[in-house]
Amino acid sequence: MKPDKEFLFRLAQAEPSELDGKALEQMALLSRRTVRKPLIMLNSTTPGMAAGAGATRQAVRSYLQERGMDAEVSETGSIGLTTEEPVLSIQLPGRTRLFFSKVTAERVPALLDDVFHSSIPSGQVIGQLPVEGQESWNDVRNLGELPFFALQERIVLEHCGIIDPFSLAEYVGRGGYSAFLKIIRSYTFSEVCEMVIRSGLRGRSGGGFPTGEKWKAAADTPSDQKYLICNAEESDPGAFMDRSLMEGNPFQLLEGIAIGAYAIGSNRAYIYIRSEFRDAIARIEHAIHELRDYGLLGDNILESGYNLQISLRKGPGAFVCGEETALIASLEGRRGMPAPKPPYPVTSGYLGRPTVVNNVETLSNLPGIIRNGPDWFRSIGHETCPGTKVFSISGRSRITGLVEVPTGTTFDVIVNEITGGVERGRELKAIHVGGPLGYMVPPALLDLEVTYENLKKHQLGMGSGGIVVLDDRTCVVSMVRYFAEYADRQSCGKCIPCREGTRRMAEVMQRICSKPSEEPEQTALERFRGIAEMEGLAAVMKDASLCGLGQNAPNPVMSSLRYFMEEYEAHVFDRNCPANICTSLRSWFIDVDLCTGCSICAKRCPAEAIIGTPRHPYFIVQEKCIGCGICFEVCKFSAVFSK
């Protein structure tokens, strides 16, 4: 349903109390709070498609076609429950919307048969979304009552998984663009900056710098041209907040960009995004085209005298381009390398002009702040950092996905109460917060309130918000080794402290995890010496590196040394991995009394390290063994063991 421009703008600027009955009815239909025919919505974002949502969508269409049923099939974003994908929602006329989990293609016919006959399969239903005036389903809990949602406060994620990311009308029907239209008609640039300053919004990319102060610095710098750049690079492995926001609700991001550009007096904005984010790129490009078609982008927007163009720019996917000066260099067509500061981008950035760089989550907060006021935003979360924070949860957690909680919420609430902790029978070892440059947090510190200042007191940080949950099957040393090697590969090489420091860290971690026979002359004391020198190396990197990559690369090593020294000692002195993960420290043997000579281990060994004669005991040549453990996995007679 595509309304005419006049009605859409009237809807965006009016309060519900100002609309007549017919307009309210149209508003309910546009927002899909009510439907005239069955509506089936399927998460088509990256997690959903990876779980098979494409085949599910085809199965839904085949079902409707075979039965000659008139129903609308639409796309939506993720409600945050990645472990339950593909998630499908169904809304019948006059009823609330139902959400179902793990709806694979083969489950579609039975599920739709049940729902269309008003029978709810209890094993698959997640919950229902209550809507005023619509009949609820009996014995089905509201989404907000579920443990996963009950402790969340969804502001940025409010519409993700609920609305069609391709529909501007649906976004406007739920209050979208009322904030932007409000400021361009009623507020000056400086007044918008002051509103954001009063709200206390801080950058959600890791540093936590006050957003309004950054804007004011750019707005107060004289220039004939200013720029706003949305940093959608999101290069941290394990973090997928920004990507999900762009795929689930691109119009909210674009409205935030428009508000930010207006506040600093800019008529030009860019979205810098990783080129491999194909689905997010497609949605944003479609949204920009629709906004231009409705006159919400371009020249003299709604005869306000304000002009704005938003363009998409695809980056190469380099980790270092997440740093704002490296991002700007890449945007200008140069190699993405950080530059010394000052000057800061707010005074001399893109093409030498004042430039504000904000990330996706920061900008997506702005429509709510303008619509509800800065005091409303300040009332949420912690007083030193108002609002909410979106976290991506991955790893060994029972539930993985996206959660949005008020700042000041503890890690314990996020990891154990909202996402259910680790699997039954397992023990939580740690959480890793902030991506490859983040921190290892032990269980003893999970009761910390998550604010920038509080984490800093404990030499920790939240980074961009990626949380990896680790249980007792995880080797902390092996994981830190991966992060050290990642930082070494991603360093641009411009400054010596980062280039040489990340390489040295990676070498030390590799040596700790290497097979004893590979370094026969190295003693335990020499191995420990590399660990002992880490603190001095980290101090130099933090003080002398140009950008956040070099300054923060030591974080995983130093935090894990602080809280998990016993695992390092086991690797360094005992040459043993307690979690049995480090393959180079494992030595595999075959028990000749149990071996039947079936030869399957020899056939599957990738290093050809197993020799023998069929129907006689086999042997492992230790000099060739790479410790992969495939022989242990394939042996049916429990004849393979490790030392």
Side-chain angles (χ1 to χ4, degrees):
M1 185 176 183
K2 191 170 183 178
D4 60 60
K5 297 180 183 179
E6 183 179 347
F7 175 74
L8 193 68
F9 296 149
R10 178 190 168 202
L11 191 65
Q13 298 174 82
E15 296 292 333
S17 59
E18 301 172 357
L19 300 174
D20 57 29
K22 184 177 180 181
L24 286 172
E25 182 182 354
Q26 287 182 280
M27 180 179 179
L29 289 170
L30 283 177
S31 63
R32 284 174 166 153
R33 289 185 173 92
T34 64
V35 295
R36 288 175 175 165
K37 59 183 178 181
L39 171 66
I40 301 172
M41 303 190 80
L42 189 66
N43 174 19
S44 61
T45 60
T46 300
M49 297 303 287
T56 302
R57 182 171 59 233
Q58 184 58 44
V60 170
R61 288 175 174 164
S62 298
Y63 175 95
L64 298 173
Q65 185 177 6
E66 290 169 2
R67 291 159 178 77
M69 297 182 64
D70 184 19
E72 184 180 0
V73 181
S74 181
E75 299 185 27
T76 187
S78 172
I79 60 172
L81 286 166
T82 304
T83 45
E84 302 302 315
E85 300 292 355
V87 172
L88 180 145
S89 63
I90 305 174
Q91 185 172 356
L92 302 182
R95 306 299 296 268
T96 58
R97 190 182 302 183
L98 291 166
F99 289 78
F100 297 91
S101 67
K102 299 179 181 177
V103 185
T104 53
E106 60 271 14
R107 292 184 171 185
V108 166
L111 174 64
L112 296 184
D113 280 342
D114 286 342
V115 175
F116 288 145
H117 289 86
S118 298
S119 175
I120 308 301
S122 59
Q124 282 184 267
V125 67
I126 299 173
Q128 63 180 324
L129 184 67
V131 179
E132 185 178 353
Q134 304 298 299
E135 183 183 354
S136 298
W137 295 87
N138 294 328
D139 301 322
V140 178
R141 287 196 294 178
N142 293 337
L143 287 181
E145 297 172 351
L146 302 176
F148 180 77
F149 295 103
L151 296 173
Q152 295 191 50
E153 186 153 358
R154 295 166 76 88
I155 296 173
V156 174
L157 298 177
E158 179 184 5
H159 301 310
C160 286
I162 308 298
I163 68 172
D164 181 350
F166 292 97
S167 174
L168 173 61
E170 189 170 355
Y171 176 64
V172 171
R174 292 179 178 267
Y177 267 87
S178 61
F180 176 61
L181 297 181
K182 178 180 179 180
I183 64 167
I184 64 173
R185 292 183 181 275
S186 306
Y187 293 91
T188 64
F189 302 156
S190 60
E191 286 175 335
V192 178
C193 283
E194 289 300 324
M195 287 178 67
V196 176
I197 290 173
R198 292 204 312 273
S199 75
L201 175 66
R202 298 173 65 170
R204 296 301 197 248
S205 59
F209 191 84
T211 302
E213 297 291 348
K214 180 186 283 190
W215 287 7
K216 193 172 187 303
D220 291 345
T221 302
S223 178
D224 60 342
Q225 179 66 60
K226 297 175 184 179
Y227 298 98
L228 184 135
I229 300 174
C230 171
N231 182 356
E233 174 67 13
E234 193 171 46
S235 49
D236 285 2
F240 45 90
M241 299 83 65
D242 292 353
R243 186 173 187 172
S244 294
L245 283 169
M246 291 184 287
E247 292 180 351
N249 193 0
F251 290 106
Q252 181 172 327
L253 170 62
L254 290 167
E255 184 180 8
I257 291 172
I259 292 169
Y262 180 85
I264 65 172
S266 169
N267 60 12
R268 203 77 176 85
Y270 294 96
I271 302 173
Y272 185 88
I273 187 170
R274 294 171 73 88
S275 57
E276 59 260 40
F277 288 1
R278 292 187 295 272
D279 290 340
I281 290 170
R283 284 163 170 75
I284 291 173
E285 287 178 337
H286 177 273
I288 290 174
H289 177 78
E290 191 159 359
L291 289 172
R292 287 174 179 161
D293 186 48
Y294 272 93
L296 290 169
L297 276 182
D299 296 332
N300 194 23
I301 297 173
L302 301 186
E303 299 181 354
S304 65
Y306 179 60
N307 308 323
L308 177 63
Q309 297 292 341
I310 301 177
S311 302
L312 202 66
R313 292 291 184 269
K314 302 173 188 176
F319 182 87
V320 72
C321 287
E323 195 276 335
E324 58 182 7
T325 59
L327 182 155
I328 290 170
S330 178
L331 196 63
E332 292 175 341
R334 298 181 287 115
R335 182 183 175 191
M337 300 176 74
K341 290 182 283 191
Y344 293 94
V346 289
T347 56
S348 179
Y350 181 61
L351 302 178
R353 304 298 205 284
T355 303
V356 166
V357 181
N358 292 133
N359 82 328
V360 171
E361 186 182 345
T362 306
L363 294 166
S364 295
N365 271 288
L366 295 171
I369 292 173
I370 301 300
R371 189 164 55 244
N372 301 304
D375 292 337
W376 163 82
F377 191 77
R378 269 208 172 273
S379 69
I380 301 168
H382 197 273
E383 59 181 5
T384 64
C385 179
T388 61
K389 179 72 186 81
V390 180
F391 292 93
S392 63
I393 313 297
S394 58
R396 301 290 191 175
S397 178
R398 287 188 183 183
I399 298 175
T400 61
L402 290 179
V403 301
E404 183 178 1
V405 294
T407 55
T409 302
T410 65
F411 284 127
D412 182 64
V413 169
I414 297 170
V415 173
N416 290 321
E417 296 188 37
I418 296 179
T419 60
V422 297
E423 296 177 10
R424 185 170 297 174
R426 293 292 176 182
E427 183 179 346
L428 178 68
K429 177 178 283 189
I431 63 172
H432 184 79
V433 184
L437 310 183
Y439 303 82
M440 285 286 179
V441 182
L445 295 180
L446 291 189
D447 59 349
L448 287 176
E449 293 184 346
V450 182
T451 67
Y452 294 105
E453 285 75 16
N454 195 35
L455 293 178
K456 190 175 181 180
K457 288 179 185 177
H458 293 82
Q459 296 178 292
L460 301 171
M462 72 175 78
S464 59
I467 296 179
V468 182
V469 179
L470 313 175
D471 65 12
D472 50 12
R473 291 171 289 183
T474 307
C475 174
V476 168
V477 178
S478 177
M479 192 166 186
V480 172
R481 173 189 176 180
Y482 165 77
F483 291 140
E485 291 173 346
Y486 182 87
D488 181 35
R489 291 194 304 272
Q490 294 297 324
S491 174
C492 72
K494 182 175 183 178
C495 63
I496 293 175
C498 176
R499 183 183 69 229
E500 298 302 323
T502 54
R503 184 172 303 166
R504 176 60 178 158
M505 278 197 312
E507 289 173 352
V508 170
M509 296 306 300
Q510 288 164 0
R511 191 171 298 153
I512 292 172
C513 298
S514 64
K515 197 168 185 177
S517 60
E518 294 175 2
E519 297 177 338
E521 297 180 0
Q522 189 185 40
T523 65
L525 185 61
E526 289 172 327
R527 287 190 296 271
F528 190 76
R529 181 181 176 186
I531 293 295
E533 292 175 348
M534 282 289 195
E535 187 171 355
L537 177 63
V540 172
M541 293 176 67
K542 285 182 176 294
D543 290 341
S545 295
L546 278 176
C547 77
L549 194 156
Q551 294 164 7
N552 294 304
N555 290 340
V557 177
M558 300 311 298
S559 60
S560 61
L561 282 171
R562 190 177 307 119
Y563 300 114
F564 298 95
M565 178 58 79
E566 67 280 0
E567 288 213 22
Y568 281 91
E569 291 173 346
H571 284 71
V572 171
F573 296 110
D574 301 334
R575 309 305 283 140
N576 172 54
C577 176
N580 204 25
I581 295 297
C582 298
T583 59
S584 294
L585 296 183
R586 293 189 295 190
S587 296
W588 293 99
F589 301 89
I590 296 177
D591 188 330
V592 295
D593 295 328
L594 297 177
C595 181
T596 63
C598 70
S599 78
I600 189 171
C601 59
K603 293 175 181 177
R604 296 291 298 275
C605 179
E608 298 182 351
I610 302 177
I611 59 174
T613 304
R615 294 185 297 278
H616 292 81
Y618 276 68
F619 300 90
I620 298 176
V621 180
Q622 293 301 317
E623 290 75 14
K624 290 185 177 182
C625 179
I626 60 175
C628 64
I630 291 178
C631 52
F632 173 79
E633 295 171 3
V634 301
C635 182
K636 300 178 181 179
F637 305 100
S638 302
V640 180
F641 63 97
S642 66
K643 289 184 179 179

